[in-house]
């Protein structure tokens, strides 16, 4: 089944404790992206990647890191999480090109206390 | 940060009614406009990718139009059904790599 997977789905952590949210897709998509969803705001793009070893900042990259060492994986790293990073996070992937939609993972609910 | 606005914020309609909502986006440097359907506790699913001014797309009872010159897209649902209840998101892209989402229109169809 074609899908984007994220782990963990739910995470409660404390301020300053490094964490990684994994994202993997099995559709051979070049493009991958991370978004966060907060109440009253639209999905906001954190980082995106157009291919292996090619990453770029979205609108809200502060406090996040990403890497793209393999085509299928695009982990999101929070080196020192803070409470304002409490959010619902979505990973997405798509074929690179004009006409292609994004496929979203199931979401990761992160709470930083 | 580019501004993408959706209206109305929420909508309640009776089963069988037809409805429509709007997505407004910058009229310059247009690349694509995506529509997504987002059900509670699920992830957004793509409805349409619109790329050309005047585009009209249709999927069953749902259709969408695009006006890039004036910066808006309409989503129409004909004969709404309870299973159409969801939040409908639009996402504007000016480069194909960065996407700017609206806050969505929450549709509730009352049986």
């Amino acid at each position: 089944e074609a899908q984007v997977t994220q782990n963990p789905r739910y995470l409660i952590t404390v301020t300053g404790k490094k964490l990684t949210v994994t994202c993997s897709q099995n559709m051979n998509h070049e493009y991958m992206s991370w978004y966060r969803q907060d109440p009253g705001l639209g999905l906001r793009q954190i980082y995106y990647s157009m291919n292996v070893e090619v990453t770029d900042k979205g609108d809200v990259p502060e406090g996040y890191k990403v890497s793209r060492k393999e085509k299928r994986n695009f982990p999101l790293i929070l080196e020192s999480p803070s409470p304002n990073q409490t959010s619902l996070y979505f990973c997405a992937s798509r074929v690179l090109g004009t006409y292609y939609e994004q496929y979203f993972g199931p979401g990761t609910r992160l709470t930083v206390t | 940060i580019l501004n993408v606005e959706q209206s109305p914020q929420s909508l309640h309609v009776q089963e069988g009614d037809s409805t429509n909502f709007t997505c407004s986006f910058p009229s310059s440097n247009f690349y694509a406009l995506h529509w997504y359907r987002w059900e509670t506790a699920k992830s957004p699913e793509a409805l349409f990718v619109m790329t050309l001014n005047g585009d009209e797309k249709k999927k069953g009872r749902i259709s969408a139009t695009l006006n890039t010159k004036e910066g808006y897209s309409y989503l129409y649902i004909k004969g709404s059904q309870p299973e159409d209840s969801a939040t409908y998101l639009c996402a504007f892209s000016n480069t194909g790599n960065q996407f700017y989402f609206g806050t969505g229109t929450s549709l509730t169809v009352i049986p």
Side-chain angles (χ1 to χ4, degrees), chain B residues 2-103:
Chain B
L2 299 179
N3 196 31
V4 177
E5 293 185 354
Q6 291 189 245
S7 62
Q9 189 174 353
S10 67
L11 199 52
H12 290 71
V13 301
Q14 292 290 139
E15 182 176 353
D17 286 352
S18 294
T19 187
N20 64 86
F21 4 106
T22 306
C23 173
S24 301
F25 51 85
S27 56
S28 58
N29 299 318
F30 178 87
Y31 184 89
L33 193 285
H34 293 200
W35 281 101
Y36 293 87
R37 181 172 179 274
W38 188 9
E39 289 183 72
T40 304
K42 295 187 177 180
S43 47
E45 290 185 353
L47 287 171
F48 303 113
V49 175
M50 310 189 76
T51 58
L52 296 175
N53 185 44
D55 253 356
E56 292 187 22
K57 298 273 177 106
K58 187 175 180 183
K59 186 181 291 187
R61 294 177 292 96
I62 304 177
S63 60
T65 61
L66 179 68
N67 183 325
T68 61
K69 295 188 188 310
E70 295 181 45
Y72 64 84
S73 176
Y74 293 139
L75 189 79
Y76 300 91
I77 302 180
K78 185 177 177 183
S80 303
Q81 299 296 307
E83 57 265 30
D84 295 329
S85 296
T87 295
Y88 292 84
L89 303 173
C90 68
F92 166 82
S93 181
N94 56 354
T95 63
N97 302 319
Q98 286 193 267
F99 289 86
Y100 302 90
F101 281 77
T103 52

Side-chain angles (χ1 to χ4, degrees), chain A residues 23 32-34 47-49 55 66-68 73-76:
Chain A
C23 173
M32 297 185 76
S33 184
W34 277 102
Y47 270 95
Y48 62 92
S49 168
T55 62
V66 292
S67 69
R68 188 94 182 272
N73 296 323
F74 190 44
L76 180 70

Side-chain angles (χ1 to χ4, degrees), chain A residues 82-99:
Chain A
S82 62
N84 64 14
Q85 294 178 298
T86 292
S87 189
L88 176 61
Y89 291 87
F90 284 103
C91 179
S93 73
R94 66 191 279 259
V95 172
L96 200 57
T98 311
Y99 305 106

